[in-house]
Amino acid sequence: MSYFPKWKIVVVVLVGLLGFTFAAPNLLSREHADRLPSWLQPVSLGLDLQGGSYLLLEVDTGYVVREQIAGLVESIRTTLRKEKVKYSDLGLRGDTVAVRIIEAEDRERAGSLLRKIDTSATLETKEDGLVQLRYSEQALVKRKQAAVEQSLEIVRRRIDQLGTREPSIQRQGQDRIVVQLPGVKDPDHIKSLLGKTAKLTFHLLDDSVTAEEAARGRVPPGSMVLPGAEHERGQPEQYVVRKRVEVGGDMLTDSSATYSEGRPVVSFRFNSAGAKKFGDATRDNAGHFLAIVLDEKVISAPRINEPILGGSGIISGSFTLQQVQDLSMLLRAGALPAPLQVLEERTVGPDLGADSIRAGAIACVIGLILVVGTMLVVYGSLGMLADIAMVFNLVLLLAALSALGATLTLPGIAGVVLTMGMAVDANVLIYERMREEQRNGRTLMSALQAGYDRAFGTIFDAHVTTLVAAALLFQFGSGPVRGFAVTLSLGLLASLFTAVLVNRMLVVWWVRFRKMKTLPLA
């Protein structure tokens, strides 16, 4: 075919086959589409189209600050005891940690030790041996921001492990997280999972005092009273637990739901550092009880019969299979640095989504009819070819959304409608250039080639500048704006392909088939 190399025909045919392959599943019902491979699925609809649940969560950043200060107190106690420095009055005074060094000769050495515990805390020493440590406002703000970012990542992990299709998880403001779950009509289970901090720690029980004695106020220094997990199910039980953490849940590498002696349990495995600490703790405390604490509740307190050196173990208790599966999932995803509070919850019904889809479809059909009619009236048979290329463009756009796993939202439908106009706009530039070249006396094929070659620069510049704007919308926009940017970007790329290759192939073929002497544009 003159003026259109065969390799370009091959490219158009291959792209067309791929496009129709990925776009075809959108014609199937959801039931039939689920039988297709995971890489060949219809476009996922957003929350505003198929309905679902909307959750607005708030990170308790105050808890992060309290935890950091409490950790500082425990570190000071451990350090001073290890170095045999006599102290008293260790505790909190507002947002300040205070401790009094008793011996005057120990005060300088104690100050040096305390400075090394946390370099972000400022230290102030009084003449009477009172030492005060305080975090600066900048350090606290930095810690809060880190907690929000960590919470965002862990929420994303937990949602992903639930298998929810196309969730949207984004940060909002300073300490809030927006979770959108398309297709989820009952978010109670997800709320219960997101509401759990899932902070797992291993402690030793303090056998120097009974729980009854501790309840009367006789709690030894360095210990605390924690309720048992069975307390929620009507079986009150308390444990006296040492505050020192033998091994933290952050050293877990894997956890899974399994069975032991016919009961559902959670198996876990530590990394190399955690395995060593766990082995040392069980070896040095054989015969004692090890408390497994989850979110400040003792879920199990087995006796250490022998050292556990393999770095793995099980968590047993009065668990159901669902509870074991949820717990193993939470441990795999990691612990939240702070509790999450549900500030707002909305359930979007499917009727709103159906109305939005219907309105979007009507807008697309009306836009398609107007564009097709205008091109036919103004450019005749070549206008018909531009309309065919536009339909091809829409097929490629739909295929790209399916192949990339993108989510189509209501603003995304607006991007599709805009793409229809952009698709024929490139052909208008080409046809007007061809008309001008023909009026200047060029032959048919010469005017055709000049029209495409000389209009390409203008078309390319217009598409690139619009793509830059779409990229900025995607980078700095929120969910709905991003949906518009995605469909607009994919539509522009498809438009550039159809205008330069598909439409040109059709026009060359049509001119040869009709044996035209002049273009029907004058």
Side-chain angles (χ1 to χ4, degrees):
M1 187 180 292
S2 179
Y3 298 102
F4 200 83
K6 291 183 179 180
W7 69 268
K8 292 185 178 180
I9 299 177
V10 173
V11 171
V12 172
V13 172
L14 290 178
V15 172
L17 290 175
L18 286 174
F20 281 100
T21 299
F22 281 97
N26 293 280
L27 302 176
L28 302 176
S29 64
R30 176 59 65 180
E31 178 182 355
H32 291 86
D34 289 338
R35 301 174 184 175
L36 296 175
S38 58
W39 55 268
L40 188 62
Q41 291 292 319
V43 176
S44 298
L45 301 180
L47 183 67
D48 52 356
L49 294 182
Q50 69 166 315
S53 297
Y54 170 98
L55 298 174
L56 178 61
L57 310 174
E58 183 179 48
V59 182
D60 186 359
T61 53
Y63 174 88
V64 176
V65 175
R66 293 192 298 272
E67 279 286 293
Q68 187 167 8
I69 295 178
L72 181 60
V73 172
E74 195 61 30
S75 297
I76 292 174
R77 177 182 287 111
T78 302
T79 300
L80 295 181
R81 284 183 176 179
K82 182 179 179 180
E83 298 296 329
K84 298 181 179 180
V85 176
K86 296 181 180 180
Y87 66 93
S88 64
D89 301 333
L90 174 60
L92 296 178
R93 298 186 179 182
D95 59 351
T96 301
V97 178
V99 60
R100 190 181 304 278
I101 307 301
I102 298 175
E103 302 291 344
E105 59 271 15
D106 289 337
R107 291 171 184 174
E108 184 177 351
R109 184 167 64 96
S112 178
L113 292 172
L114 296 179
R115 287 188 182 91
K116 295 178 181 179
I117 293 177
D118 193 336
T119 56
S120 62
T122 59
L123 185 143
E124 182 181 357
T125 304
K126 302 293 182 66
E127 293 183 358
D128 57 353
L130 183 67
V131 180
Q132 295 180 332
L133 289 90
R134 179 186 295 106
Y135 288 107
S136 65
E137 187 65 27
Q138 183 179 1
L140 293 178
V141 170
K142 186 177 180 179
R143 180 69 184 91
K144 291 178 182 179
Q145 291 177 347
V148 175
E149 290 296 331
Q150 185 180 355
S151 299
L152 182 66
E153 179 61 27
I154 292 174
V155 168
R156 183 174 288 111
R157 289 183 200 167
R158 293 184 181 181
I159 295 296
D160 289 344
Q161 291 193 35
L162 291 173
T164 304
R165 291 175 60 90
E166 297 299 330
S168 174
I169 305 167
Q170 297 176 338
R171 180 174 177 175
Q172 184 183 87
Q174 295 295 324
D175 56 1
R176 296 183 178 182
I177 300 174
V178 175
V179 179
Q180 296 183 10
L181 306 171
V184 177
K185 303 301 186 294
D186 184 12
D188 289 340
H189 181 228
I190 293 179
K191 281 168 53 183
S192 66
L193 294 179
L194 296 182
K196 294 179 180 179
T197 308
K199 182 180 180 181
L200 181 71
T201 51
F202 294 81
H203 304 252
L204 291 173
L205 290 187
D206 189 343
D207 52 9
S208 65
V209 62
T210 64
E212 291 75 13
E213 291 174 337
R216 292 194 294 267
R218 294 183 55 191
V219 181
S223 297
M224 56 186 173
V225 178
L226 295 179
E230 298 293 329
H231 181 68
E232 294 182 348
R233 292 190 279 273
Q235 299 180 18
E237 188 174 4
Q238 290 186 326
Y239 297 86
V240 183
V241 179
R242 297 191 184 277
K243 293 182 179 180
R244 178 185 174 185
V245 177
E246 300 296 332
V247 190
D250 56 336
M251 294 184 175
L252 289 175
T253 58
D254 188 29
S255 65
S256 60
T258 184
Y259 283 89
S260 176
E261 299 179 355
R263 296 182 303 171
V265 297
V266 176
S267 65
F268 61 87
R269 179 174 295 277
F270 290 109
N271 57 22
S272 57
K276 184 179 183 305
K277 292 185 68 175
F278 192 65
D280 293 342
T282 54
R283 183 182 60 249
D284 298 339
N285 297 278
H288 292 79
F289 290 88
L290 182 69
I292 305 174
V293 180
L294 179 68
D295 291 345
E296 299 183 354
K297 293 182 180 179
V298 179
I299 60 176
S300 182
R303 179 187 293 272
I304 305 173
N305 295 319
E306 58 185 9
I308 304 175
L309 305 177
S312 62
I314 61 172
I315 301 174
S316 60
S318 300
F319 299 130
T320 64
L321 180 59
Q322 183 64 53
Q323 289 172 331
V324 165
Q325 292 173 343
D326 291 344
L327 178 56
S328 62
M329 183 276 294
L330 291 172
L331 296 182
R332 284 195 305 270
L336 288 167
L340 296 177
Q341 180 183 0
V342 179
L343 295 182
E344 183 180 356
E345 175 187 350
R346 295 202 305 265
T347 300
V348 181
D351 292 340
L352 178 59
D355 292 342
S356 301
I357 295 175
R358 190 179 304 109
I362 292 174
C364 288
V365 170
I366 293 176
L368 183 63
I369 292 174
L370 292 176
V371 170
V372 169
T374 301
M375 293 299 292
L376 287 175
V377 170
V378 177
Y379 297 108
S381 59
L382 294 190
M384 176 190 65
L385 300 179
D387 294 333
I388 294 174
M390 179 187 65
V391 174
F392 194 90
N393 180 14
L394 294 178
V395 171
L396 292 183
L397 173 57
L398 193 61
L401 291 173
S402 298
L404 296 176
T407 302
L408 182 63
T409 60
L410 189 58
I413 294 179
V416 174
V417 176
L418 178 59
T419 297
M420 293 167 54
M422 296 288 292
V424 297
D425 180 63
N427 295 125
V428 169
L429 293 174
I430 293 171
Y431 288 168
E432 289 300 321
R433 188 69 186 186
M434 290 165 57
R435 175 182 289 174
E436 182 180 346
E437 296 295 336
Q438 186 173 251
R439 287 174 179 173
N440 289 338
R442 285 182 177 269
T443 62
L444 172 65
M445 299 307 296
S446 177
L448 190 152
Q449 183 174 9
Y452 280 98
D453 292 344
R454 296 187 178 183
F456 176 76
T458 303
I459 296 172
F460 184 80
D461 290 344
H463 280 66
V464 168
T465 53
T466 309
L467 276 173
V468 170
L472 293 175
L473 288 176
F474 183 84
Q475 179 65 31
F476 300 106
S478 59
V481 176
R482 284 190 166 191
F484 174 79
V486 168
T487 53
L488 179 60
S489 300
L490 295 176
L492 287 171
L493 295 175
S495 173
L496 191 61
F497 176 81
T498 55
V500 174
L501 291 179
V502 177
N503 181 259
R504 185 169 184 171
M505 184 186 73
L506 293 174
V507 170
V508 171
W509 175 82
W510 184 253
V511 168
R512 290 295 183 183
F513 177 76
R514 296 293 300 272
K515 298 180 181 180
M516 295 180 178
K517 301 299 181 182
T518 59
L519 293 170
L521 297 173

